């Protein structure tokens, strides 16, 4: 049975360039796919690789789309290489293969705070809006300075608040130990990616830190390649898994393993547009495990606000997911 396959590549300016460890990121590039079945039903998906994150790329995905041609069948996924995780994800979404029943009626959302002292001002604003889970970027300034700010930031937030510290792999083991020691008697939900993920030694370091300190550690940059989640589950990782569903080529399989293991999962944005975000959020709402506050407090994100997902609020409700006019966005990138 022939399905009609189409794709459109897009390049969309962020409202403000995104700061990354590799410099400034100004434009979100990706691909929308559209699959129409013989009965006329249509599904959409988004392939939005993160530059320098894994071996996936927009260019390779576009080449794969061209080679698929305009007619595909139900076995189309078997023709997309596993290293193109975001394209596999997009096609699975367009085929409707990632749709499961919703199990959460609402999920909390973490508020993003800027690095450094700017968080002192932003934190109370977000707290007034109702947020109680906050994520603070650390590893940007000198460790001594940032550690000295920690108690002031906690003091600026309502009691009962929880703080996530995201180091993006910036620390060495010694600095990570200082932070984890300091976090132990403070309202820190977890410390995210304290050390870089670039070596076999990093695995031992992370497992060692997780065993030595009571504050949980979350893996983010350690979960880049297909199979990373499975390896960490097999290693008995006791901390959190930051999962960006849009980047996972076999997303249902991976989420299924995490659920069976009883893992603690933080569903997070990969700065995709509303097309991919809607699919990712739907997966979060249908995941049967205990879901932590969502890492989807990222919007407004794009210069053209039509491509934004739901504006960050302290909670997302299941009934609000699916409000995106996906077809309009497909038409907008033609
Ligand atoms: Mg992170």
């Amino acid at each position: 049975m022939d399905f009609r396959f189409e794709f459109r590549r897009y390049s969309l300016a962020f409202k403000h360039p995104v700061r990354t460890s590799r410099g400034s990121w100004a434009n979100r590039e990706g691909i929308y796919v559209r699959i129409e079945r013989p009965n006329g039903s249509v599904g959409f998906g988004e392939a939005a690789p993160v530059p320098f994150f894994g071996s996936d790329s927009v260019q390779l995905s576009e080449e794969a789309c061209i080679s698929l041609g305009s007619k595909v069948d139900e076995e189309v996924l078997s023709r997309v290489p596993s290293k193109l995780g975001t394209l596999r994800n997009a096609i699975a979404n367009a085929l409707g293969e990632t749709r499961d029943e919703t199990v959460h009626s609402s999920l909390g959302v973490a508020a993003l705070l800027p690095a450094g002292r700017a968080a002192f001002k932003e934190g109370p604003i977000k707290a007034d809006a109702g947020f109680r889970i906050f994520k603070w970027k650390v590893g940007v300034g000198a460790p001594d300075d940032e550690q000295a700010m920690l108690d002031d930031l906690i003091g600026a937030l309502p009691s009962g608040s929880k703080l996530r510290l995201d180091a993006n792999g910036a620390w060495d083991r010694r600095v990570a130990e200082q932070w984890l020691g300091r976090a132990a008697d403070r309202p820190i939900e977890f410390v995210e990616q304290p050390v870089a993920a670039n070596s076999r030694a990093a695995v031992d370091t992370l497992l060692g830190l997780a065993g030595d300190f009571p504050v949980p550690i979350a893996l983010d940059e350690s979960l880049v390649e297909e199979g990373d989640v499975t390896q960490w589950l097999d290693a008995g990782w006791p901390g959190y898994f930051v999962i960006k569903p849009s980047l996972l080529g076999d997303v249902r399989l991976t989420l299924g393993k995490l659920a069976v293991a009883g893992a603690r999962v933080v569903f997070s944005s990969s700065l995709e547009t509303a097309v991919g975000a809607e699919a990712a959020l739907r997966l979060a709402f249908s995941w049967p495990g205990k879901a932590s506050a969502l890492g989807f407090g990222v919007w407004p994100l794009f210069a053209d606000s039509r491509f934004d997902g739901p504006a960050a609020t302290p909670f997302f409700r299941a009934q609000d997911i699916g409000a995106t006019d996906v077809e309009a966005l497909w038409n907008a990138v033609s």
Side-chain angles (χ1 to χ4, degrees), residues 135 137 166-168 192-193 219-221 242 244:
K135 173 167 159 169
K137 285 273 174 201
D166 188 359
N168 292 111
E192 186 170 324
Q193 203 69 46
L219 302 175
D220 182 2
E221 285 85 350
V242 176
K244 302 182 174 89

Side-chain angles (χ1 to χ4, degrees), residues 152-218:
D152 288 340
L153 177 56
I154 291 169
L157 301 174
S159 67
S161 297
K162 287 269 189 186
L163 197 54
R164 300 172 171 181
L165 304 175
D166 188 359
N168 292 111
W171 300 327
D172 61 23
R173 183 172 185 143
R174 189 184 56 83
V175 173
E177 285 173 343
Q178 286 170 7
W179 272 101
L180 288 162
R182 188 170 276 253
D185 51 1
R186 290 173 170 80
I188 307 298
E189 188 183 18
F190 55 72
V191 175
E192 186 170 324
Q193 203 69 46
V195 300
N198 51 9
S199 66
R200 171 66 220 169
V203 176
D204 295 333
T205 302
L206 285 161
L207 284 167
L209 290 170
D212 288 349
F213 293 92
V215 172
I217 296 173

Side-chain angles (χ1 to χ4, degrees), residues 3-23:
F3 298 173
R4 191 168 155 213
F5 176 79
E6 292 176 272
F7 70 95
R8 288 179 182 170
R9 184 167 174 168
Y10 67 77
S11 177
L12 296 165
F14 287 121
K15 200 176 164 83
H16 307 289
V18 175
R19 253 172 44 178
T20 77
S21 58
R22 304 279 192 120

Side-chain angles (χ1 to χ4, degrees), residues 28 46 86:
R28 189 61 168 111
E46 175 177 2
T86 58

